[in-house]
Amino acid sequence: MRSDLDVDRLLADDGKHVIACCGSGGVGKTTTAAALALRAAERHGRRTVVLTIDPARRLAQSLGMEALDNTPRPVEGPEAGSLDAMMLDMKRTFDDVVASHTTPERAAEIFANPFYEAVSSTFSGTQEYMAMEKLGQLRETGRWDLIVLDTPPSRSALDFLDAPARLARFLDGRVIRLLSASTPGSRRSMLSVMGASAAVFTRVFNKILGGHLLTDVAEFTASLEDTFGGFRRRAEATFRALQDDQTSFLVVATPEPAAINEAMYFSRRLTEERMPLDGMVLNQLTPVRASMSAERCLGAAASLEEGDPDSPVAAVLRTHADLARRRAAEERVAARYGAACPEIPQVWLPKAGAEVVDLAGLRAFAGRAVRRDGED
Amino acid sequence: MIRLRWMSATGPVPRLHVVTGKGGTGKTTAAAALALALAGTGRRVLLAEIEGRQGIAPLFDAAPLPYAERHLAAGLDGGEVFGQAVDADEALLDYLTMFYRLGSAGRVLRRFGAIDFATTIAPGLRDILLTGKLKEAVSRTESGRMAYDAVVLDGPPTGRIVKFLNVTVESGRLAKTGPIGRHSRSVARLLHSSLTAVHLVTTPAAMPVQETIDAHDELEAADLPVGHVILNKVVGSGTVDVTAEQLRDGLARSGLPADEDAVAALLAEYRTGQDEIAAIDAHRDRLERLGRPVDELALLPEGVDLSGLYDLARTLRRSTGGLRRSPLRPGAAPEGVRDAQ
């Protein structure tokens, strides 16, 4: 097994203030983030907060909480260090951003716009912006020396990196200026700036979207400009901070082709963006204890079954053969990552029998991550 | 029109199958297997993905799917499965062309970043375009018959499925006038009708099962039609008990290592397997209490290759009672679907 990522050294490094766990959905990002945060607090005495995005109820419970919310709450358990946990509430975070960047009257106006309702709660994509914002807020308080970040369950791990830039592009975009300019009364200025083709554009959009929506959007963007300007600067600053070496990215994957491909794309992007990628966590490997080959076991099982079709020994051998074949297939898939990103240290985590439902489970999870020279 | 016995006995048979599941549960695989299962003799099924992941093509050992529908594979009994990667940018241009005969104005839109606009400011608009595109495929007719007997969507994960399917309800509310508003409302009607079935894929583990139950309740609350629950990656192994002694003897007789370590390791694996099976039974019970049919797909030890995919399709067809055919009514577009034309 290939396990050359020194997780304990990473967690103990007091030069690191953010650890971001990224990867596609269902690879165990949230569990990994929670387990690493717990270990950082307990073993390395760090003041740690874990920002989860959408934890399963059981994971929230495993941190000793019925439900996590938008405010970090202390987790009972760690004696050294401290651990707080929170769950991103994107609507509330968005509300806070608006409220803190503008006057109460203006904020009330924004909140009342039907389009705000849609952008802040319904539309996907807002989550990434808000995760970035929350990360910035947590850093600013100085209350924690380590923030462990779970990333949104995006269609792609890349969304997390692209969201702030996309927001900036949107706000600087010509389209939005067009829309802002197309509110009643400013039509002429728009035409003079953009020329005749803009008229085509506005007409088409008016037709598609319906007059109402366009007006709502225009008002929304106009009234949000000051708010968003501040927010955008923050998001950009947070994004830049992710590039310094106080941050560590960990890419999380499972040994399945789609998850490994995603991990490879993501790792390449991080390298291109000069983001500090410190390791790959490979979750949910099939644990294999016995060392006999699948082929030998299947052969033996077949001859045992000739004498006794219900041979229990044959059943045991077939179970092992199945596990061994699964594991071999997983390792073939995982090897692709090693070939594509040879310089990235990895840690392989075989699946444990039981799912993580409490702090002990999280401890055991982290324990497997730091065990060296991996036996399963 | 294709009829599956396992689908609702009353009302129209679903023609749009939306497959969702927690990440990692194998929803793409399940969607592909379902498309193969639905493509019986003479049937045409469209298998679509919308998230730009190109998850379908590798399952069929095919080149990446284009935006245009392309023949992908033969169905189980010689039907045809077509594949498509729906892209929001292209769908927007399509949409504009369809409704406004845009021509060069489409290029203007591109130049002005209107495409950016669609996919940036309003990821919701993106979902509107994607669901609209699906509806178009479901309701399209070609030479007097439905172009597709069924459309299978490899959908967004459970966490976003209700948001995705309900975006047109939201946009229908926001855009009170104009074609988007009208279009949104007609798509919303299709998605909330019994022509649609949302299937939930899960693996037998606590978190995915819980998410499945949560998603089921959210879908019901949003009045979206839930279809089947597909329990995926089910392991099977012996349930007979075995002692260390029996095992040692058996290993020795087979000429395999029979030392203490080997025996202990094999026993531990076997017992873990038995525990897993007991756990699977418990998960299945929880899922069955939802009152929806539960289909089971076995875990393929070597991963899913093309022949494995057809095996899964056969299982789905068997476990779901096979296909019952009804005479094709040429050009018979179900009510509520026609108005997208």
Side-chain angles (χ1 to χ4, degrees):
Chain A
M1 140 158 8
R2 177 171 168 181
S3 270
D4 52 0
L5 172 64
D6 192 340
V7 175
D8 264 335
R9 207 172 99 195
L10 180 69
L11 297 178
D13 183 349
D14 53 18
K16 292 283 185 198
H17 296 296
V18 175
I19 295 178
C21 299
C22 305
S24 48
V27 295
K29 282 192 298 266
T30 312
T31 307
T32 304
L36 294 182
L38 179 65
R39 190 171 179 95
E42 289 191 325
R43 289 294 177 103
H44 306 290
R46 304 197 66 183
R47 286 175 296 125
T48 311
V49 60
V50 57
L51 167 53
T52 66
I53 305 296
D54 190 16
R57 202 172 304 151
R58 294 174 77 113
L59 186 72
Q61 285 167 351
S62 73
L63 292 165
M65 302 182 180
E66 268 314 298
L68 294 167
D69 64 13
N70 210 31
T71 311
R73 311 258 177 221
V75 174
E76 304 292 332
E79 284 169 15
S82 68
L83 174 62
D84 295 275
M86 62 163 294
M87 178 178 95
L88 180 74
D89 177 335
M90 70 175 176
K91 173 84 167 74
R92 184 150 305 163
T93 305
F94 212 137
D95 290 353
D96 290 348
V97 172
V98 171
S100 65
H101 282 88
T102 189
T103 61
E105 297 75 34
R106 205 66 187 274
E109 222 176 274
I110 294 172
F111 293 151
N113 189 307
F115 198 71
Y116 174 73
E117 185 65 29
V119 167
S120 62
S121 55
T122 309
F123 290 145
S124 48
T126 307
Q127 223 172 19
E128 285 83 0
Y129 308 155
M130 289 306 128
M132 208 57 103
E133 168 65 24
K134 202 70 200 175
L135 176 62
Q137 285 178 13
L138 293 176
R139 283 172 73 107
E140 253 169 32
T141 64
R143 265 177 66 194
W144 296 279
D145 60 27
L146 179 64
I147 302 168
V148 183
L149 179 71
D150 170 27
T151 51
S154 307
R155 153 176 77 96
S156 142
L158 296 177
D159 277 358
F160 181 67
L161 294 180
D162 293 335
R166 231 188 294 151
L167 178 65
R169 202 168 69 220
F170 160 52
L171 289 164
D172 294 338
R174 287 191 281 182
V175 175
I176 214 65
R177 270 184 277 137
L178 264 177
L179 285 175
S180 308
S182 67
T183 39
S186 52
R187 200 169 175 80
R188 270 183 60 192
S189 67
M190 177 204 73
L191 285 179
S192 62
V193 174
M194 292 298 174
S197 46
V200 176
F201 171 83
T202 315
R203 206 181 61 231
V204 167
F205 259 85
N206 258 317
K207 274 172 95 175
I208 310 169
L209 297 167
H212 253 286
L213 182 61
L214 201 58
T215 316
D216 284 347
V217 174
E219 279 173 14
F220 173 71
T221 51
S223 58
L224 257 194
E225 204 163 274
D226 40 347
T227 305
F228 250 160
F231 168 55
R232 192 182 77 215
R233 272 191 301 281
R234 286 165 70 94
E236 281 168 354
T238 309
F239 188 74
R240 271 196 306 279
L242 289 176
Q243 284 174 315
D244 69 28
D245 55 12
Q246 296 187 358
T247 301
S248 228
F249 278 91
L250 292 180
V251 52
V252 185
T254 52
E256 294 189 22
I260 288 291
N261 284 344
E262 188 68 27
M264 278 157 47
Y265 292 139
F266 189 70
S267 299
R268 268 182 223 139
R269 262 298 293 282
L270 284 176
T271 311
E272 277 168 29
E273 307 260 356
R274 294 189 306 283
M275 298 260 188
L277 172 58
D278 284 332
M280 193 272 255
V281 178
L282 188 66
N283 265 331
Q284 293 170 25
L285 274 162
T286 296
V288 182
R289 291 189 175 82
S291 54
M292 283 160 255
S293 79
E295 292 72 18
R296 272 186 87 186
C297 289
L298 289 175
S303 25
L304 285 167
E305 282 159 351
E306 274 169 22
D308 171 11
D310 298 317
S311 160
V313 175
V316 171
L317 291 174
R318 287 194 182 279
T319 300
H320 171 70
D322 250 16
L323 291 175
R325 280 163 65 203
R326 267 157 70 185
R327 177 58 173 260
E330 289 167 359
E331 294 196 7
R332 278 197 298 278
V333 171
R336 282 155 50 182
Y337 185 89
C341 311
E343 71 289 357
I344 307 299
Q346 303 180 11
V347 58
W348 287 19
L349 296 181
K351 223 179 322 194
E355 287 177 84
V356 173
V357 290
D358 54 15
L359 284 186
L362 285 176
R363 257 177 222 127
F365 185 98
R368 289 198 300 283
V370 297
R371 190 187 303 161
R372 309 304 307 248
D373 307 323
E375 85 258 39
D376 279 356
Chain B
M1 194 187 310
I2 214 154
R3 271 182 190 280
L4 292 177
R5 198 174 75 208
W6 47 292
M7 296 303 176
S8 88
T10 56
V13 171
R15 301 186 55 247
L16 175 59
H17 299 264
V18 180
V19 180
T20 182
K22 182 175 165 34
T25 54
K27 69 183 172 58
T28 306
T29 306
L34 179 61
L36 291 173
L38 287 167
T41 313
R43 312 282 138 176
R44 288 159 58 100
V45 175
L46 177 65
L47 174 60
E49 67 174 37
I50 48 167
E51 305 222 301
R53 287 187 301 116
Q54 287 291 344
I56 292 174
L59 285 174
F60 290 93
D61 294 331
L65 289 177
Y67 177 70
E69 294 148 34
R70 192 183 69 195
H71 186 272
L72 190 60
L76 271 193
D77 301 313
E80 293 173 287
V81 175
F82 291 76
Q84 178 180 31
V86 184
D87 172 86
D89 293 0
E90 295 289 338
L92 178 61
L93 285 178
D94 244 26
Y95 182 90
L96 295 172
T97 314
M98 196 161 73
F99 285 88
Y100 299 104
R101 288 175 215 86
L102 267 190
S104 62
R107 285 194 296 278
V108 173
L109 287 178
R110 226 191 249 280
R111 190 154 55 83
F112 271 93
I115 311 298
D116 250 10
F117 172 80
T119 48
T120 314
I121 191 256
L125 184 52
R126 187 192 158 83
D127 290 350
I128 293 169
L129 291 163
L130 296 174
T131 48
K133 189 78 190 154
L134 287 175
K135 177 177 168 174
E136 188 275 323
V138 169
S139 45
R140 190 190 318 149
T141 53
E142 269 165 22
S143 25
R145 59 165 283 186
M146 302 306 295
Y148 293 107
D149 297 289
V151 174
V152 178
L153 172 68
D154 176 16
T158 37
R160 287 188 286 124
I161 188 67
V162 172
K163 199 183 284 182
F164 172 76
L165 293 174
N166 252 359
V167 68
T168 46
V169 172
E170 182 76 6
S171 60
R173 196 173 61 77
L174 279 173
K176 296 182 187 74
T177 59
I180 278 242
R182 260 199 314 282
H183 183 70
S184 292
R185 284 184 289 274
S186 85
V187 173
R189 267 199 305 282
L190 166 68
L191 295 177
H192 287 80
S193 77
S194 49
L195 287 170
T196 300
V198 184
H199 306 296
L200 296 155
V201 182
T202 183
T203 49
M207 286 195 198
V209 166
Q210 184 59 50
E211 267 197 35
T212 300
I213 291 168
D214 292 347
H216 173 271
D217 295 349
E218 280 175 50
L219 287 164
E220 278 204 326
D223 218 10
L224 288 158
V226 182
H228 281 219
V229 174
I230 298 171
L231 185 55
N232 192 19
K233 302 189 193 178
V234 177
V235 290
S237 81
T239 47
V240 256
D241 284 326
V242 63
T243 63
E245 201 121 275
Q246 283 176 304
L247 184 54
R248 195 173 311 117
D249 288 352
L251 290 175
R253 260 188 294 132
S254 308
L256 288 167
D259 57 286
E260 214 169 292
D261 287 351
V263 171
L266 285 172
L267 268 186
E269 285 178 359
Y270 188 62
R271 298 212 164 118
T272 307
Q274 287 182 314
D275 290 348
E276 271 178 55
I277 288 168
I280 290 171
D281 290 340
H283 292 309
R284 187 187 297 112
D285 286 349
R286 286 193 75 196
L287 292 169
E288 277 171 353
R289 280 201 291 277
L290 291 173
R292 310 284 176 180
V294 179
D295 312 319
E296 278 188 41
L297 296 178
L299 177 93
L300 305 178
E302 308 262 344
V304 181
D305 60 8
L306 195 53
S307 70
L309 193 61
Y310 278 87
D311 286 345
L312 296 179
R314 267 185 284 275
T315 311
L316 264 187
R317 179 179 280 187
R318 248 197 323 275
S319 76
T320 54
L323 299 169
R324 212 175 60 194
R325 301 201 183 93
S326 68
L328 204 68
R329 289 178 298 138
E335 208 181 327
V337 172
R338 265 264 164 98
D339 58 357
Q341 302 295 311

